[in-house]
Amino acid sequence: TASLGMEAEQEPLLGNRTCGSREWDIVETEEHYKSRWRSIRILYLTMFLSSVGFSIVIMSIWPYLQKIDQTADASFLGWVIASFSLGQMVASPMFGLWSNYRPRKEPLTVSIFISVAANCLYAYVHLPASHNKYYMLVARGLVGFGAGNVAVVRSYIAGATSLQERTSSMANTSACQALGFILGPVFQTCFAFIGEKGVTWDAIKLQINMYTAPVLLGAFLGVFNIILILAVLREHRVDDSGRQCKNINFEEANTDEVQVPQGNIDQVAVVATNILFFVILFIFALFETIITPLTMDMYAWTQEQAVLYDGIILAALGVEAVVILLGVKLLSKKIGERAILLGGLIVVWVGFFILLPWGNQFPKIQWEDLHNNSIPNTTFGEIIIGLWKSPREDHSERPTGCPIEQAWCLYTPVIHLAQFLTSAVLIGIGYPVCNLMSYTLYSKILGPKPQGVYMGWLTASGSGARILGPVFISQVYAHWGPRWAFGLVCGMVVFTITLLGVVYKRLIAFSIRYGRIQE
């Protein structure tokens, strides 16, 4: 990540212009400049570790849950997975508010400590005599609660970069986050060789096996992250032109020095950006969720084939996202964030439009064994359950194809593999672009005032989308099929594009709106 920030760091040192107020006239020294970028890079790492914490156990939650508590079922798995996003949704505005009034080290250290403690709890959920599944639910919820610090990270980076540096820094943040989501399952796979039995450290009753080793690594990385934050992170704030200014988060700030530029934040633009961000995350969450059932129904893949191929597809989309994010940094300087956001939404719409079934070829129907299917009739937990069928089960007998109790299988044309892959590539281009542009614009709309609470609401709306997206798609897909499911998604994207068109002129930086900087 060090090299990712270089481009933004090669901007000239700003600070020779004056704003007529002594608070804004502090010139940025070389030392301050280096300290500022050191702090930003530490937060890139924090973002990476936060997303690794989420994804490092996602593949092993189900077998671990079954091992520690026989009473856990698919719907409970759904709750365990959703609890991360619920925790993050609750915590984000709280940590954001805290970061507005106190040094950012405080909420960052406390939130990472909560995640470390939650990871340790996860490693011990096998110990209690009963209700083990509820301990796991609490552990995952607390890891999510700790991940609420994403709001603090984004508000810090927004406050510590000029408008010119902003898109580039936000792109680096997103790339680190995407990289964490890709590498988490890779780390998990590396620990599989330890096996289910593993080793037990009797003195502290700790079992180190394929389920607990990843979270213990997560806890260790969290402690390392806290040490770095305490040692390296310094409070920095610059205005939209890049001039250093005092802020409320400086430990030594005096009340008479704190002077925030005048002017109100455009609340219409704030609400609209929150809605845009919600829809973008909602759509990607439902796409990730539906991939496995869809491919099993359409191409008669077995559980193993679906898990392997869809895992490869999602990993490829993650790599594609990192490449796209680095490319967008250059593009945004030429055509601006709003135009790129609009382009990204159009690409996502085309992706889902291509997914609509057409033609006169129908999927293979699964006639026998009506109860043995992977379709989520109740909760999205059942979708994910397919990822962990034990290899010892006899798969040769299990029927494949579109289950007959889904009535739409009989009259809905098949979605061809080429259609599906083209769509996945387009959604993989559109999603990271829209995600990055929506919160880069958001940080610019908010201007130089402390952004903690507003960033908290943005993170919370994203977490809400990740909970609701899978629930929505599993219900619509099971009852009405892909035509209705993807048709409704296309409608949602059209609504979002329309909303963007309506507020397009309002999505401008705070200082441009008040005429302090020319666009």
Side-chain angles (χ1 to χ4, degrees):
T1 46
S3 61
L4 299 184
M6 289 309 285
E7 192 176 289
E9 293 166 50
Q10 283 157 4
E11 314 270 339
L13 298 185
L14 298 163
N16 48 4
R17 285 166 285 175
T18 61
C19 282
S21 118
R22 69 193 169 87
E23 191 228 340
W24 297 95
D25 294 342
I26 305 165
V27 176
E28 182 167 47
T29 62
E30 184 74 31
E31 188 186 344
H32 177 276
Y33 179 77
K34 283 180 177 163
S35 166
R36 182 162 69 91
W37 279 100
R38 263 200 306 274
S39 299
I40 289 171
R41 286 194 189 125
I42 291 293
L43 294 183
Y44 290 162
L45 178 70
T46 304
M47 202 70 160
F48 171 75
L49 295 178
S50 168
S51 58
V52 167
F54 170 73
S55 62
I56 198 166
V57 295
I58 211 74
M59 300 299 282
S60 66
I61 283 183
W62 178 235
Y64 190 38
L65 186 59
Q66 283 182 309
K67 184 183 175 190
I68 59 162
D69 197 329
Q70 302 297 316
T71 64
D73 59 4
S75 60
F76 195 82
L77 172 70
W79 282 108
V80 171
I81 289 176
S83 66
F84 180 93
S85 295
L86 278 170
Q88 191 179 39
M89 192 162 89
V90 171
S92 299
M94 291 160 60
F95 285 131
L97 184 66
W98 186 354
S99 77
N100 274 5
Y101 296 103
R102 300 286 305 159
R104 258 77 64 103
K105 277 182 184 179
E106 291 177 17
L108 284 169
T109 307
V110 169
S111 59
I112 296 168
F113 179 77
I114 290 171
S115 290
V116 169
N119 277 331
C120 294
L121 171 63
Y122 185 91
Y124 279 106
V125 289
H126 62 278
L127 272 185
S130 62
H131 301 107
N132 306 65
K133 64 183 184 182
Y134 295 107
Y135 288 103
M136 185 191 266
L137 183 72
V138 170
R140 288 305 289 165
L142 285 173
V143 171
F145 193 88
N149 63 15
V150 166
V152 183
V153 171
R154 286 191 181 147
S155 74
Y156 181 98
I157 291 174
T161 51
S162 68
L163 282 185
Q164 277 186 302
E165 298 165 330
R166 185 82 43 86
T167 307
S168 180
S169 311
M170 288 291 192
N172 295 343
T173 314
S174 273
C176 291
Q177 196 178 19
L179 208 57
F181 284 127
I182 300 164
L183 292 179
V186 176
F187 291 148
Q188 164 75 66
T189 310
C190 297
F191 287 117
F193 72 88
I194 300 174
E196 276 196 87
K197 188 130 178 57
V199 292
T200 306
W201 188 353
D202 288 326
I204 54 172
K205 292 194 166 55
L206 177 63
Q207 285 185 5
I208 301 172
N209 56 32
M210 62 189 274
Y211 304 130
T212 59
V215 289
L216 294 170
L217 173 70
F220 172 76
L221 291 173
V223 172
F224 174 65
N225 197 1
I226 288 175
I227 293 167
L228 278 178
I229 284 171
L230 294 174
V232 181
L233 189 76
R234 296 287 172 266
E235 295 295 337
H236 290 292
R237 211 153 124 237
V238 297
D239 71 346
D240 283 353
S241 308
R243 284 178 294 257
Q244 179 192 351
C245 54
K246 288 275 184 192
N247 74 347
I248 200 96
N249 305 90
F250 272 114
E251 289 88 336
E252 69 275 9
N254 296 319
T255 47
D256 61 348
E257 281 181 308
V258 177
Q259 190 181 330
V260 174
Q262 295 310 302
N264 294 320
I265 293 169
D266 184 350
Q267 297 296 343
V268 174
V270 166
V271 172
T273 315
N274 266 292
I275 295 170
L276 289 170
F277 193 69
F278 178 88
V279 174
I280 290 157
L281 265 77
F282 182 88
I283 285 170
F284 192 70
L286 66 81
F287 179 71
E288 280 187 313
T289 305
I290 207 61
I291 261 188
T292 303
L294 179 74
T295 50
M296 289 175 71
D297 289 349
M298 292 294 157
Y299 315 122
W301 288 353
T302 61
Q303 295 275 18
E304 290 82 1
Q305 287 173 317
V307 172
L308 176 66
Y309 302 155
D310 294 336
I312 292 169
I313 289 167
L314 284 174
L317 291 189
V319 175
E320 181 187 15
V322 174
V323 174
I324 296 287
L325 288 165
L326 300 180
V328 163
K329 288 203 300 191
L330 306 170
L331 195 61
S332 68
K333 290 191 174 115
K334 294 189 171 65
I335 62 173
E337 284 94 1
R338 293 178 299 178
I340 295 178
L341 177 57
L342 180 61
L345 284 169
I346 291 168
V347 170
V348 170
W349 182 85
V350 172
F352 276 102
F353 185 77
I354 287 173
L355 263 185
L356 292 171
W358 50 273
N360 52 12
Q361 192 183 337
F362 296 90
K364 178 194 164 194
I365 301 296
Q366 173 186 319
W367 292 102
E368 70 271 38
D369 197 3
L370 295 189
H371 304 294
N372 198 0
N373 66 66
S374 69
I375 305 307
N377 293 321
T378 49
T379 63
F380 70 97
E382 289 188 353
I383 299 169
I384 306 157
I385 240 161
L387 300 176
W388 306 289
K389 294 292 181 191
S390 118
R392 288 184 297 281
E393 291 177 34
D394 181 17
H395 286 295
S396 55
E397 315 248 324
R398 178 166 299 151
T400 57
C402 204
I404 188 66
E405 73 267 28
Q406 290 180 164
W408 56 263
C409 290
L410 295 171
Y411 57 80
T412 305
V414 76
I415 297 170
H416 298 277
L417 190 58
Q419 253 178 294
F420 172 69
L421 293 175
T422 308
S423 160
V425 169
L426 289 173
I427 293 164
I429 292 169
Y431 166 70
V433 167
C434 294
N435 185 354
L436 169 63
M437 288 306 137
S438 51
Y439 70 75
T440 302
L441 281 168
Y442 191 67
S443 76
K444 291 185 175 184
I445 290 162
L446 296 176
K449 298 182 182 182
Q451 299 189 1
V453 177
Y454 282 105
M455 281 293 178
W457 289 119
L458 190 72
T459 307
S461 74
S463 304
R466 281 208 301 272
I467 298 165
L468 295 174
V471 176
F472 164 83
I473 195 74
S474 53
Q475 295 303 316
V476 176
Y477 179 83
H479 294 111
W480 296 328
R483 187 170 273 164
W484 271 97
F486 301 134
L488 285 169
V489 172
C490 285
M492 258 181 245
V493 182
V494 169
F495 159 76
T496 315
I497 291 171
T498 310
L499 174 68
L500 178 60
V502 170
V503 296
Y504 196 84
K505 286 195 164 65
R506 302 184 82 135
L507 301 183
I508 51 172
F510 183 91
S511 14
I512 292 170
R513 186 159 162 254
Y514 286 101
R516 295 200 185 92
I517 294 180
Q518 293 302 306
E519 190 164 11

